[in-house]
Amino acid sequence: MAIDYLIATFIESLKGVPTTLFITFFALIAALPLGLLLAIARLKKIPVLSQLARLYTLIIRGTPLILLILLFYSFVPSFLNAFFKAHDIAIDIFKVNPLFYACTVFLLVAIAAVAEIFRSALLAVDGGQFEAGKVANLSTFHIYARIILPQALVSSLPNLCNLAITLVKGTSLVFVMTVKDITAIAKIQASYGYNYAESYLVIFAIYILVCTAIQVVFKKLADYVALDRRMPLKQMEKQHNEKVTIEKGVLYAEHS
Amino acid sequence: MLNIRNLHKQFGSHEVLRGIDLTVNQGDVVVILGPSGSGKTTLLRSINFLEPADSGTIELDGETFEIAKATKQDIQGIRKHTGFVFQNYNLFANKTAEQNITEGLIYGLGLSKNVAKTIAQDVLEKVGLREFAHHYPSQLSGGQQQRVGIARAIAAEPKVLLFDEPTSALDPELVGDILAIMKSLAKAGKTMVVVTHEMGFAKEVASEVVFMDGGVIVEQGRPEEIFEFPKEERTQQFLARILGDFVRA
């Protein structure tokens, strides 16, 4: 029965969700400090590092993801193998979990994207605040760490959300590295009875669910860090009004 | 109190300051007037090294600094003794009004958190914003933001307060608030250097008016001298234009 197959495949493919999310969030989170470094290198025009960062972003952004994966998966294991052999390191390259390669490729991609996101977010923070910090004798590091960066992080959340979704969708390609993600599992299921159309329908739904969940999480995060949350305006107005009423009350009481 | 000698500054091939000499005594309110591009903001910003001048000397409270040779410590020392109020307020957007003030006191000057908090409450009270200590800049009007800006500048009790067109970014009906606070600071005996286009403020509060044009001080004197009997033609033209606008408006 088709419906049984759909349900069975759905449940089976769900087992790929952790892998998909692991690759995505490992890449995203590990890319934050490295991307920040590249962003600062470019903004501060640090010699060499700045040019390297630019070249790196250019290469990564100008390459299809599938090509990066194929290149990486073709070359890196052979290089590593030769390297290990040359240095008598007892690691069998063919037993390395392919998840390791997947995470590395997605990390490389995420670094370039995060660098660009942070660069524009840092540029968007008004430079006058930097001067105000300098005037107050705050150190450059302090101004960045406590004033500029927190604002840049908040304003880059929507773009980081987009990146997370892009990465999730990109992970559907890791089956070529024999990583068992959502797509890989569905394809394996389909191959038993040639139910490809049904399998694709199932993961169509799963990807939408996963991406929606990510958007919800980022929305919550954005609400959480929003400044207004810390003291909603309405609440402040209410407090203020109450205070005025009390003061007036006292005033009237004194006069009557 | 503040002694500026032979200040020069170039942006590329453009000379912005061409040998400025300016003396500000304790308790003076010096208002700097001049058309845009005259170098008045650059002069103000060079005093606390936001825009370091190329050459000249600055003497602040008995200590003389050769600008070209000023060390990081010198600059920090000067900044410690000067408060700066920006045209665009430049409040830290992710800090509350109170934190905007305490941040510099704690991490710039090394005061304890409790002391800094007490000072912050005190200066916010002075600018009439005690109720707004926990508001973020985005929750304040432009006038309120500038009042926080002033509170932040006076918190460390600097020897000299520098104002860079503090009311130019404000709605006209909010300008009065800021000028009133500045007046009360002047009355309290604060030494102030103010770049502004507010002629009323200059006339009423300034102890000295400086007119700049083309990177030099064209003329300076008591406000009644400058406004009633300007000697230089450039000053006359400038005042005619500004005050003419004022009458028309």
Side-chain angles (χ1 to χ4, degrees), chain A residues 65-97:
Chain A
L65 183 55
I66 185 74
L67 182 58
L68 277 179
I69 291 173
L70 289 171
L71 275 174
F72 198 80
Y73 199 52
S74 313
F75 283 108
V76 174
S78 328
F79 278 135
L80 280 180
N81 199 24
F83 179 81
F84 289 155
K85 279 209 174 122
H87 292 80
D88 283 328
I89 300 171
I91 298 177
D92 184 354
I93 203 70
F94 301 105
K95 283 187 183 154
V96 172
N97 190 337

Side-chain angles (χ1 to χ4, degrees), chain B residues 29-88:
Chain B
V29 177
V30 175
V31 170
I32 304 176
L33 304 176
S36 57
S38 59
K40 52 194 194 309
T41 290
T42 310
L43 169 62
L44 197 72
R45 288 163 61 86
S46 68
I47 295 174
N48 68 351
F49 286 79
L50 268 182
E51 202 87 75
D54 300 329
S55 65
T57 58
I58 290 178
E59 186 210 315
L60 180 64
D61 199 31
E63 261 193 283
T64 308
F65 303 93
E66 185 92 34
I67 288 188
K69 292 179 195 151
T71 63
K72 219 174 169 181
Q73 279 76 21
D74 293 341
I75 295 174
Q76 279 179 355
I78 286 180
R79 286 181 177 160
K80 202 166 157 180
H81 295 305
T82 51
F84 200 96
V85 178
F86 296 89
Q87 182 176 357
N88 297 315

Side-chain angles (χ1 to χ4, degrees), chain A residues 232-250:
Chain A
L233 271 178
K234 273 188 190 142
Q235 186 195 332
M236 276 186 311
E237 267 163 30
K238 210 174 127 205
Q239 279 180 6
H240 183 73
N241 289 342
E242 274 167 12
K243 204 171 157 81
V244 170
T245 321
I246 291 166
E247 277 168 3
K248 270 187 189 155
V250 172

Side-chain angles (χ1 to χ4, degrees), chain A residues 31-46 49-50 53-54 56-57 111-123 144 149 152:
Chain A
L32 293 180
L34 295 165
L36 179 64
L37 200 72
L38 291 198
I40 290 174
R42 284 198 59 185
L43 285 176
K44 291 265 152 195
K45 299 199 169 66
I46 298 169
L49 199 57
S50 155
R54 216 167 151 178
Y56 177 76
T57 329
I111 288 172
V114 167
E116 285 301 288
I117 290 171
F118 279 167
R119 199 168 70 93
S120 63
L122 286 168
L123 275 175
Y144 263 97
L149 257 184

Side-chain angles (χ1 to χ4, degrees), chain A residues 83-238:
Chain A
F83 179 81
F84 289 155
K85 279 209 174 122
H87 292 80
D88 283 328
I89 300 171
I91 298 177
D92 184 354
I93 203 70
F94 301 105
K95 283 187 183 154
V96 172
N97 190 337
L99 193 59
F100 165 78
Y101 299 120
C103 285
T104 315
V105 173
F106 278 82
L107 175 61
L108 292 178
V109 171
I111 288 172
V114 167
E116 285 301 288
I117 290 171
F118 279 167
R119 199 168 70 93
S120 63
L122 286 168
L123 275 175
V125 179
D126 180 30
Q129 295 181 47
F130 188 83
E131 288 194 339
K134 279 281 148 199
V135 166
N137 267 333
L138 299 174
S139 69
T140 304
F141 178 80
H142 183 98
I143 299 170
Y144 263 97
R146 289 200 24 132
I147 291 154
I148 311 275
L149 257 184
Q151 294 176 52
L153 276 177
V154 169
S155 68
S156 55
L157 270 181
N159 283 328
L160 290 175
C161 177
N162 282 340
L163 176 61
I165 288 170
T166 307
L167 291 174
V168 163
K169 292 187 286 192
T171 56
S172 63
L173 296 171
V174 295
F175 70 89
V176 301
M177 305 169 112
T178 70
V179 175
K180 290 196 180 56
D181 76 314
I182 300 170
T183 307
I185 293 173
K187 280 169 84 91
I188 293 165
Q189 292 298 311
S191 64
Y192 296 133
Y194 227 74
N195 308 92
Y196 284 100
E198 293 90 333
S199 271
Y200 294 152
L201 264 183
V202 165
I203 58 172
F204 172 70
I206 292 180
Y207 277 112
I208 287 179
L209 284 175
V210 170
C211 288
T212 307
I214 287 178
Q215 289 181 61
V216 170
V217 168
F218 270 93
K219 176 79 176 70
K220 293 258 180 246
L221 200 60
D223 289 345
Y224 182 75
V225 295
L227 293 173
D228 295 355
R229 177 196 62 86
R230 296 179 196 170
M231 198 185 204
L233 271 178
K234 273 188 190 142
Q235 186 195 332
M236 276 186 311
E237 267 163 30
K238 210 174 127 205

Side-chain angles (χ1 to χ4, degrees), chain A residues 1-12 189 195 198 202:
Chain A
M1 279 297 285
I3 193 82
D4 291 339
Y5 175 81
L6 289 179
I7 292 167
T9 312
F10 185 82
I11 291 166
E12 196 59 29
Q189 292 298 311
N195 308 92
E198 293 90 333
V202 165

